[in-house]
Amino acid sequence: MTHSAAFPLAESPRLTALRAKIGWLCQAIRLLAIGYAMLTLWGFYHSWATRSPYELATMRLFGLDVSGASEAQWNTVLAMSLALWLFVATLAFCVWRLFSTYLEGAVFSLEAALWLRRTGIAGLVAIVADFIERSAVVYTLAAHLPESANAKHMFIRTEDFVHIILALMLLALAHIQKAAAEIADDNAQIV
């Protein structure tokens, strides 16, 4: 089995038509993935530099006044945010490669299935890392508060469940696509 296209576009008018239909969509998704990674990085920088978004969020969600957090606490939050961004950047890279593979014509291939699987895994890891980072930020910024105020503040948002479902769907589709590509390769060797 190879990682090349199971159905080369040059041999199939249907796949040429499919590529024409999804080409603009693939380009848009690639650009949106990179844009999301850059916007997230800017958002972390802006939030850390002004600090008010973190302060407002912890006050609104938990009733904690973290305006007295030390410089070390803020630097720890910045380090956590940058670590989370690495997961976001990895996800964006996987999305870029997946849709680049589609644009190259390897729509129904083992390579595309592999990148789809990597995208699903990167998505799950990013979701879990985001959940951990959000809770760790609250703990870190509230570390200077009295024990009564510094209660355990872990939270999960409803959209986290949607993100987990979508990432799991990508993993399931990757398994389906891999099986289909293997069947197509086997059929091509018979013919």
Side-chain angles (χ1 to χ4, degrees):
M1 311 270 166
T2 64
H3 288 281
S4 62
F7 304 109
L9 285 178
E11 298 175 17
S12 172
R14 284 185 188 172
L15 287 173
T16 302
L18 175 63
R19 186 173 178 216
K21 288 179 184 177
I22 67 168
W24 70 271
L25 190 56
C26 291
Q27 291 289 12
I29 291 169
R30 288 180 349 149
L31 293 174
L32 286 170
I34 297 304
Y36 176 71
M38 300 312 295
L39 185 62
T40 302
L41 183 61
W42 179 83
F44 285 147
Y45 166 76
H46 181 265
S47 294
W48 180 79
T50 62
R51 299 181 183 178
S52 62
Y54 284 117
E55 291 175 357
L56 291 172
T58 53
M59 178 59 83
R60 184 174 41 94
L61 292 171
F62 307 113
L64 297 174
D65 181 8
V66 297
S67 59
S70 71
E71 197 64 32
Q73 287 169 288
W74 284 108
N75 288 336
T76 302
V77 167
L78 174 63
M80 288 187 288
S81 296
L82 291 176
L84 175 61
W85 183 81
L86 292 176
F87 293 110
V88 171
T90 300
L91 175 59
F93 175 76
C94 289
V95 170
W96 179 274
R97 283 299 305 136
L98 172 63
F99 285 91
S100 294
T101 302
Y102 292 160
L103 285 170
E104 292 164 2
V107 178
F108 301 108
S109 68
L110 292 174
E111 181 182 9
L114 179 65
W115 280 110
L116 186 58
R117 181 175 179 267
R118 289 174 180 162
T119 301
I121 291 170
L124 278 176
V125 170
I127 293 162
V128 170
D130 182 43
F131 173 72
I132 293 169
E133 190 262 352
R134 276 185 267 141
S135 299
V137 163
V138 174
Y139 278 116
T140 302
L141 291 178
H144 67 285
L145 297 175
E147 278 301 313
S148 60
N150 191 9
K152 296 192 177 356
H153 295 286
M154 296 186 74
F155 66 98
I156 188 163
R157 299 182 301 214
T158 55
E159 62 264 23
D160 292 332
F161 291 108
V162 173
H163 296 156
I164 290 169
I165 290 168
L166 291 174
L168 291 174
M169 285 174 50
L170 290 178
L171 287 174
L173 288 172
H175 288 295
I176 293 166
Q177 186 174 348
K178 181 177 183 267
E182 288 171 346
I183 290 168
D185 278 350
D186 289 345
N187 289 340
Q189 289 175 7
I190 293 170
V191 176

